[in-house]
Amino acid sequence: MAKQNIDWSNIGFEYSKTAKRFVSNFKDGKWDDGVLTDDNTVVLNECAGVLQYSQSCFEGLKAYTSENGHIVCFRPDLNAQRMVDSAKRLEMPPFDPDRFVKAVVDTVKANADYVPPFGSGATLYIRPVMFGTNAVIGVKPATEYQFRIFTMPVGPYFKGGAKPITIKVSDFDRAAPHGTGHIKAGLNYAMSLHAIVTAHAEGFDENMYLDAATRTYVEETGGANFIFVTKDGTVVTPKSDSILPSITRRSIMTVARDVLGLKTEERKVSFEEVKDFAECGLCGTAAVISPVGKIYDHGKEILFPSGMEKMGPTIQKLYDTLTGIQMGRIEGPEGWVKVIE
Ligand SMILES: *Cc1c(COP(=O)(O)O)cnc(C)c1O
C-alpha cells in the first residue's frame, strides 16, 4: 500500500472519509461478527433510540507511526474498558473489550495508508461510537445497536509549539453529582456546547467546570482533565466521581510517579487553592497536555508563574516523557504501546 498523498503537517482536526470502517450490529441479544466496509453512511429509522433519547457513547484514540516505523496505538485496552463502563451506565450492551481492541487494529490496518508518517506530528484519529438504532418512543433502552469504528487523519494539535491557553470558570455545570460525568456519553457534550460557544465568544479557549453541588471544587473542562503542579513540584490531579477518567491523565500520573520519581496526589482540589499552584495543564488524547497560562474567574485573574509563552518546566518534562514513550523513544510501562503493524 502507498501512503495517501496528503499534506500531513497542514491538515486540521476535521472529519474526512478514509477507506474502511468497522461496523457491528447488536440484535436478538448479541453482537454480530462485524465487517469492514466502505460505506460511511448510517441509515436509521426516524424514531431510532439515539435520535430520540440520545442513547450513545463514544471513544477517541490515535494511531501513529513510531520512531522505528511501526504503526502503533496507545493503551487501547483502556478505551475498550471505558466504553464497557459507558455502555453499562446507558443501559447499552457492552462490546467485548478484546473484540474492541481487535476491531481497532483491523480498522487501522485497513486504513494504513492514511496513518501519517513519523515526524509529521499528524496522527490517525480513531473514533469508536455506539448508538441505539431501533425505533423507541416510550422512554426505554433500545433493543438494537450499532458499534462503529471509523478513522481520519488529523494534523498536529499544536502548530509551532504549545502556547498556554486562557480559560474561564464557567457559570454552567458539566456533570451532576451521581450523573453521567464519568462516562463518555454524547449527551455530556450536547449540553456543553452552549457553554463552550459562550466562552469562545467571550474570548476564552476553554471552560473550567467546578463541582455542580457546591461550586467549590475543580472538576475538568469540556473534554480534558486538569493536572496542577505545586510550588514544591508535586503533581496534583482532582478526584471526583463526576470527572471522565482520562487515559492521558492516568498515564501522566503514572509517568510522574514511576518514571520521573515525582510526588503525585489524586485528591479533591478546591478552587481556592488553584492560585497557589505553579503550573496547570489540560490532559486529553488530542493535545496530550495543553498548558494553561491564565484562569479568569468573574473579574479576577489567576496567572500561573509559568506565564503565557511556554509550558512550565514540570509539565514540559511530563509532556516530553509521555510523548517519548508513545513514540518509542523512551521505554514505558509494559503494554502501553500496542504495535499494529
Ligand atoms: C475524552 C475526554 C477526556 C480525555 O480523555 P483521554 O482518554 O485522555 O482522551 C477528558 N474529559 C472528557 C470529558 C472527555 O470526554
Side-chain angles (χ1 to χ4, degrees):
M1 246 185 307
K3 286 284 175 201
Q4 294 285 313
N5 185 17
I6 294 172
D7 183 5
W8 303 107
S9 27
N10 284 306
I11 45 177
F13 195 83
E14 299 288 338
Y15 173 78
S16 61
K17 186 186 178 187
T18 59
K20 300 284 181 187
R21 67 276 304 114
F22 175 82
V23 180
S24 173
N25 290 298
F26 181 90
K27 198 177 171 177
D28 301 327
K30 59 179 196 306
W31 288 104
D32 67 18
D33 290 343
V35 290
L36 287 167
T37 163
D38 293 348
D39 191 356
N40 69 333
T41 63
V42 180
V43 178
L44 288 174
N45 185 288
E46 62 194 348
C47 202
V50 62
L51 299 179
Q52 305 312 315
Y53 305 122
S54 297
Q55 217 187 354
S56 77
C57 58
F58 66 97
E59 274 302 323
L61 67 162
K62 301 187 294 197
Y64 49 95
T65 309
S66 67
E67 203 165 85
N68 58 11
H70 286 298
I71 294 175
V72 300
C73 63
F74 187 69
R75 308 188 79 181
D77 51 315
L78 298 190
N79 297 95
Q81 185 53 49
R82 193 167 63 186
M83 198 159 197
V84 168
D85 298 339
S86 297
K88 285 183 177 165
R89 178 62 177 78
L90 296 172
E91 291 294 334
M92 300 166 80
F95 196 81
D96 175 74
D98 292 333
R99 286 196 63 202
F100 177 106
V101 172
K102 182 175 184 304
V104 165
V105 168
D106 291 348
T107 309
V108 172
K109 276 187 183 164
N111 295 293
D113 50 351
Y114 293 85
V115 180
F118 175 76
S120 63
T123 57
L124 187 74
Y125 184 74
I126 305 164
R127 171 53 60 93
V129 61
M130 186 189 290
F131 46 92
T133 52
N134 65 298
V136 174
I137 193 69
V139 177
K140 58 175 186 283
T143 52
E144 295 175 13
Y145 294 86
Q146 183 166 108
F147 173 61
R148 184 173 268 265
I149 303 176
F150 57 96
T151 61
M152 68 209 75
V154 297
Y157 196 84
F158 299 117
K159 287 189 181 131
K163 281 273 177 194
I165 59 170
T166 302
I167 65 178
K168 73 167 282 192
V169 177
S170 185
D171 293 320
F172 300 100
D173 294 321
R174 190 191 83 89
H178 317 294
T180 55
H182 61 302
I183 59 163
K184 219 166 169 72
L187 60 91
N188 291 335
Y189 280 78
M191 59 97 222
S192 76
L193 294 175
H194 180 61
I196 193 64
V197 169
T198 304
H200 286 166
E202 294 169 352
F204 302 102
D205 298 302
E206 269 296 343
N207 281 306
M208 169 186 267
Y209 293 104
L210 302 181
D211 76 291
T214 71
R215 293 265 173 103
T216 52
Y217 292 99
V218 176
E219 293 260 311
E220 59 172 319
T221 69
N225 287 181
F226 280 103
I227 53 165
F228 298 101
V229 182
T230 65
K231 288 187 175 129
D232 60 7
T234 300
V235 183
V236 179
T237 194
K239 187 180 174 74
S240 155
D241 292 340
S242 43
I243 289 177
L244 193 280
S246 157
I247 294 164
T248 314
R249 184 261 300 166
R250 286 182 272 164
S251 304
I252 286 167
M253 296 305 281
T254 303
V255 163
R257 192 185 59 231
D258 296 349
V259 182
L260 298 176
L262 300 172
K263 198 163 164 251
T264 60
E265 292 172 357
E266 182 178 0
R267 58 165 171 84
K268 289 176 97 169
V269 173
S270 75
F271 181 68
E272 262 309 296
E273 67 179 300
V274 169
K275 63 180 187 322
D276 299 323
F277 289 125
E279 299 175 46
C280 173
L282 301 177
C283 312
T285 292
V288 183
I289 310 179
S290 304
V292 175
K294 197 194 287 186
I295 301 178
Y296 178 84
D297 172 35
H298 303 93
K300 284 180 299 207
E301 284 185 345
I302 297 172
L303 282 151
F304 292 103
S306 48
M308 296 302 293
E309 285 307 313
K310 54 180 184 5
M311 287 191 183
T314 303
I315 285 185
Q316 183 75 55
K317 214 181 293 171
L318 290 165
Y319 178 86
D320 291 344
T321 309
L322 184 60
T323 52
I325 290 170
Q326 290 179 331
M327 286 300 166
R329 253 192 319 277
I330 299 172
E331 175 108 35
E334 176 93 38
W336 276 19
V337 175
K338 170 139 189 100
V339 176
I340 292 174
E341 71 175 40

Short mmCIF file of all heavy atoms in Angstrom, two decimals, residues 64-74 118-119 319-333 336-339:
data_model
loop_
_atom_site.label_atom_id
_atom_site.label_comp_id
_atom_site.label_asym_id
_atom_site.label_seq_id
_atom_site.Cartn_x
_atom_site.Cartn_y
_atom_site.Cartn_z
N TYR A 64 -0.49 6.11 15.16
CA TYR A 64 0.55 6.98 14.62
C TYR A 64 1.77 6.13 14.31
O TYR A 64 1.83 4.95 14.66
CB TYR A 64 0.89 8.10 15.61
CG TYR A 64 1.13 7.60 17.01
CD1 TYR A 64 2.41 7.33 17.45
CD2 TYR A 64 0.06 7.36 17.87
CE1 TYR A 64 2.64 6.84 18.72
CE2 TYR A 64 0.27 6.86 19.14
CZ TYR A 64 1.56 6.60 19.56
OH TYR A 64 1.79 6.10 20.81
N THR A 65 2.73 6.71 13.63
CA THR A 65 3.94 5.98 13.27
C THR A 65 5.02 6.30 14.30
O THR A 65 5.32 7.46 14.54
CB THR A 65 4.42 6.39 11.86
OG1 THR A 65 3.30 6.27 10.96
CG2 THR A 65 5.55 5.50 11.38
N SER A 66 5.54 5.25 14.92
CA SER A 66 6.55 5.45 15.96
C SER A 66 7.91 5.69 15.31
O SER A 66 8.08 5.54 14.09
CB SER A 66 6.60 4.26 16.91
OG SER A 66 7.07 3.14 16.21
N GLU A 67 8.89 6.03 16.16
CA GLU A 67 10.21 6.38 15.65
C GLU A 67 10.83 5.26 14.80
O GLU A 67 11.53 5.52 13.83
CB GLU A 67 11.12 6.73 16.83
CG GLU A 67 12.27 7.60 16.46
CD GLU A 67 12.94 8.21 17.69
OE1 GLU A 67 13.81 7.55 18.29
OE2 GLU A 67 12.59 9.34 18.04
N ASN A 68 10.55 4.01 15.18
CA ASN A 68 11.14 2.89 14.43
C ASN A 68 10.27 2.41 13.27
O ASN A 68 10.49 1.32 12.73
CB ASN A 68 11.51 1.75 15.37
CG ASN A 68 10.31 1.27 16.15
OD1 ASN A 68 9.18 1.65 15.84
ND2 ASN A 68 10.53 0.45 17.16
N GLY A 69 9.25 3.21 12.93
CA GLY A 69 8.50 2.94 11.70
C GLY A 69 7.28 2.05 11.85
O GLY A 69 6.60 1.77 10.86
N HIS A 70 6.97 1.60 13.07
CA HIS A 70 5.76 0.80 13.26
C HIS A 70 4.53 1.70 13.40
O HIS A 70 4.62 2.81 13.91
CB HIS A 70 5.86 -0.03 14.56
CG HIS A 70 6.79 -1.20 14.43
ND1 HIS A 70 6.56 -2.22 13.54
CD2 HIS A 70 7.93 -1.51 15.09
CE1 HIS A 70 7.53 -3.11 13.67
NE2 HIS A 70 8.38 -2.70 14.58
N ILE A 71 3.39 1.16 12.94
CA ILE A 71 2.12 1.82 13.25
C ILE A 71 1.68 1.28 14.62
O ILE A 71 1.62 0.07 14.82
CB ILE A 71 1.05 1.52 12.18
CG1 ILE A 71 1.47 2.16 10.85
CG2 ILE A 71 -0.31 2.05 12.62
CD1 ILE A 71 0.54 1.83 9.70
N VAL A 72 1.43 2.19 15.54
CA VAL A 72 1.10 1.80 16.91
C VAL A 72 -0.11 2.60 17.41
O VAL A 72 -0.49 3.60 16.81
CB VAL A 72 2.29 2.06 17.87
CG1 VAL A 72 3.53 1.28 17.45
CG2 VAL A 72 2.62 3.55 17.95
N CYS A 73 -0.71 2.12 18.50
CA CYS A 73 -1.64 2.97 19.23
C CYS A 73 -1.35 2.83 20.72
O CYS A 73 -0.56 1.98 21.13
CB CYS A 73 -3.09 2.72 18.85
SG CYS A 73 -3.68 1.09 19.22
N PHE A 74 -1.98 3.70 21.51
CA PHE A 74 -1.61 3.84 22.91
C PHE A 74 -2.74 3.36 23.82
O PHE A 74 -3.83 3.92 23.79
CB PHE A 74 -1.30 5.33 23.18
CG PHE A 74 -0.75 5.60 24.55
CD1 PHE A 74 0.51 5.16 24.91
CD2 PHE A 74 -1.51 6.30 25.48
CE1 PHE A 74 1.02 5.42 26.17
CE2 PHE A 74 -1.01 6.56 26.75
CZ PHE A 74 0.26 6.12 27.10
N PHE A 118 6.03 9.21 10.55
CA PHE A 118 6.73 9.71 11.74
C PHE A 118 7.32 11.08 11.47
O PHE A 118 7.83 11.35 10.39
CB PHE A 118 7.85 8.75 12.15
CG PHE A 118 8.67 9.27 13.29
CD1 PHE A 118 8.17 9.23 14.58
CD2 PHE A 118 9.91 9.85 13.07
CE1 PHE A 118 8.90 9.75 15.64
CE2 PHE A 118 10.65 10.37 14.13
CZ PHE A 118 10.14 10.32 15.41
N GLY A 119 7.21 11.95 12.45
CA GLY A 119 7.83 13.26 12.34
C GLY A 119 6.90 14.33 11.80
O GLY A 119 7.21 15.52 11.89
N TYR A 319 5.22 16.09 29.47
CA TYR A 319 4.84 16.03 28.06
C TYR A 319 5.92 15.31 27.24
O TYR A 319 5.63 14.39 26.47
CB TYR A 319 4.63 17.46 27.53
CG TYR A 319 4.28 17.53 26.07
CD1 TYR A 319 2.97 17.40 25.64
CD2 TYR A 319 5.28 17.72 25.10
CE1 TYR A 319 2.64 17.45 24.30
CE2 TYR A 319 4.97 17.77 23.75
CZ TYR A 319 3.65 17.64 23.36
OH TYR A 319 3.33 17.69 22.03
N ASP A 320 7.17 15.69 27.46
CA ASP A 320 8.27 15.08 26.70
C ASP A 320 8.39 13.59 27.01
O ASP A 320 8.67 12.79 26.11
CB ASP A 320 9.60 15.78 27.03
CG ASP A 320 9.65 17.20 26.49
OD1 ASP A 320 8.82 17.55 25.63
OD2 ASP A 320 10.51 17.98 26.96
N THR A 321 8.19 13.24 28.27
CA THR A 321 8.34 11.83 28.65
C THR A 321 7.19 11.00 28.10
O THR A 321 7.42 9.93 27.50
CB THR A 321 8.42 11.69 30.19
OG1 THR A 321 9.40 12.59 30.68
CG2 THR A 321 8.80 10.26 30.58
N LEU A 322 5.97 11.47 28.26
CA LEU A 322 4.84 10.68 27.75
C LEU A 322 4.88 10.57 26.22
O LEU A 322 4.71 9.48 25.67
CB LEU A 322 3.49 11.24 28.22
CG LEU A 322 2.31 10.38 27.79
CD1 LEU A 322 2.40 8.95 28.36
CD2 LEU A 322 0.97 11.00 28.20
N THR A 323 5.14 11.67 25.53
CA THR A 323 5.19 11.59 24.07
C THR A 323 6.41 10.75 23.63
O THR A 323 6.34 10.05 22.63
CB THR A 323 5.21 12.98 23.40
OG1 THR A 323 6.26 13.75 23.98
CG2 THR A 323 3.90 13.72 23.59
N GLY A 324 7.49 10.79 24.41
CA GLY A 324 8.66 9.93 24.14
C GLY A 324 8.30 8.46 24.24
O GLY A 324 8.72 7.64 23.40
N ILE A 325 7.51 8.11 25.25
CA ILE A 325 7.06 6.72 25.41
C ILE A 325 6.15 6.35 24.24
O ILE A 325 6.29 5.29 23.63
CB ILE A 325 6.32 6.54 26.77
CG1 ILE A 325 7.31 6.65 27.94
CG2 ILE A 325 5.57 5.20 26.80
CD1 ILE A 325 6.64 6.74 29.31
N GLN A 326 5.23 7.24 23.91
CA GLN A 326 4.29 6.96 22.81
C GLN A 326 5.03 6.74 21.49
O GLN A 326 4.67 5.87 20.70
CB GLN A 326 3.29 8.12 22.66
CG GLN A 326 2.30 8.18 23.83
CD GLN A 326 1.33 9.33 23.69
OE1 GLN A 326 1.62 10.37 23.10
NE2 GLN A 326 0.13 9.16 24.25
N MET A 327 6.07 7.52 21.27
CA MET A 327 6.81 7.44 20.01
C MET A 327 7.88 6.35 19.99
O MET A 327 8.53 6.12 18.98
CB MET A 327 7.47 8.80 19.70
CG MET A 327 6.48 9.84 19.25
SD MET A 327 5.62 9.30 17.74
CE MET A 327 4.27 10.46 17.66
N GLY A 328 8.08 5.70 21.15
CA GLY A 328 9.04 4.61 21.21
C GLY A 328 10.47 5.06 21.45
O GLY A 328 11.40 4.28 21.29
N ARG A 329 10.64 6.33 21.82
CA ARG A 329 11.97 6.87 22.12
C ARG A 329 12.40 6.49 23.53
O ARG A 329 13.56 6.36 23.83
CB ARG A 329 11.93 8.41 22.05
CG ARG A 329 12.58 9.02 20.86
CD ARG A 329 12.77 10.54 20.98
NE ARG A 329 11.67 11.28 21.58
CZ ARG A 329 10.60 11.69 20.92
NH1 ARG A 329 10.45 11.43 19.64
NH2 ARG A 329 9.66 12.37 21.54
N ILE A 330 11.39 6.37 24.41
CA ILE A 330 11.64 6.09 25.82
C ILE A 330 10.86 4.83 26.16
O ILE A 330 9.72 4.66 25.71
CB ILE A 330 11.12 7.27 26.70
CG1 ILE A 330 11.85 8.57 26.35
CG2 ILE A 330 11.25 6.94 28.18
CD1 ILE A 330 11.27 9.81 27.02
N GLU A 331 11.52 3.95 26.92
CA GLU A 331 10.84 2.72 27.33
C GLU A 331 9.78 3.05 28.38
O GLU A 331 10.06 3.67 29.40
CB GLU A 331 11.88 1.76 27.93
CG GLU A 331 11.29 0.50 28.50
CD GLU A 331 11.58 -0.73 27.64
OE1 GLU A 331 12.69 -0.79 27.06
OE2 GLU A 331 10.71 -1.60 27.55
N GLY A 332 8.53 2.66 28.13
CA GLY A 332 7.46 2.92 29.08
C GLY A 332 7.02 1.64 29.76
O GLY A 332 7.58 0.58 29.50
N PRO A 333 5.99 1.74 30.60
CA PRO A 333 5.46 0.54 31.25
C PRO A 333 4.99 -0.48 30.22
O PRO A 333 4.50 -0.12 29.14
CB PRO A 333 4.29 1.08 32.07
CG PRO A 333 4.64 2.52 32.32
CD PRO A 333 5.35 2.98 31.09
N TRP A 336 1.93 -0.52 27.14
CA TRP A 336 1.31 0.77 26.85
C TRP A 336 1.21 1.04 25.35
O TRP A 336 0.26 1.65 24.88
CB TRP A 336 2.08 1.91 27.53
CG TRP A 336 1.68 2.13 28.96
CD1 TRP A 336 1.02 1.22 29.76
CD2 TRP A 336 1.87 3.31 29.73
NE1 TRP A 336 0.80 1.78 30.99
CE2 TRP A 336 1.32 3.05 31.00
CE3 TRP A 336 2.47 4.55 29.49
CZ2 TRP A 336 1.34 4.01 32.02
CZ3 TRP A 336 2.50 5.49 30.50
CH2 TRP A 336 1.94 5.23 31.76
N VAL A 337 2.25 0.63 24.62
CA VAL A 337 2.25 0.89 23.18
C VAL A 337 1.91 -0.39 22.45
O VAL A 337 2.62 -1.39 22.55
CB VAL A 337 3.61 1.45 22.72
CG1 VAL A 337 3.65 1.61 21.21
CG2 VAL A 337 3.90 2.79 23.41
N LYS A 338 0.79 -0.38 21.74
CA LYS A 338 0.35 -1.57 21.03
C LYS A 338 0.77 -1.48 19.56
O LYS A 338 0.34 -0.56 18.84
CB LYS A 338 -1.17 -1.72 21.14
CG LYS A 338 -1.73 -2.78 20.23
CD LYS A 338 -2.80 -3.61 20.90
CE LYS A 338 -3.18 -4.78 20.05
NZ LYS A 338 -2.56 -6.03 20.47
N VAL A 339 1.60 -2.41 19.13
CA VAL A 339 2.06 -2.40 17.75
C VAL A 339 0.98 -2.99 16.85
O VAL A 339 0.46 -4.07 17.11
CB VAL A 339 3.37 -3.20 17.59
CG1 VAL A 339 3.80 -3.27 16.12
CG2 VAL A 339 4.48 -2.57 18.43
#
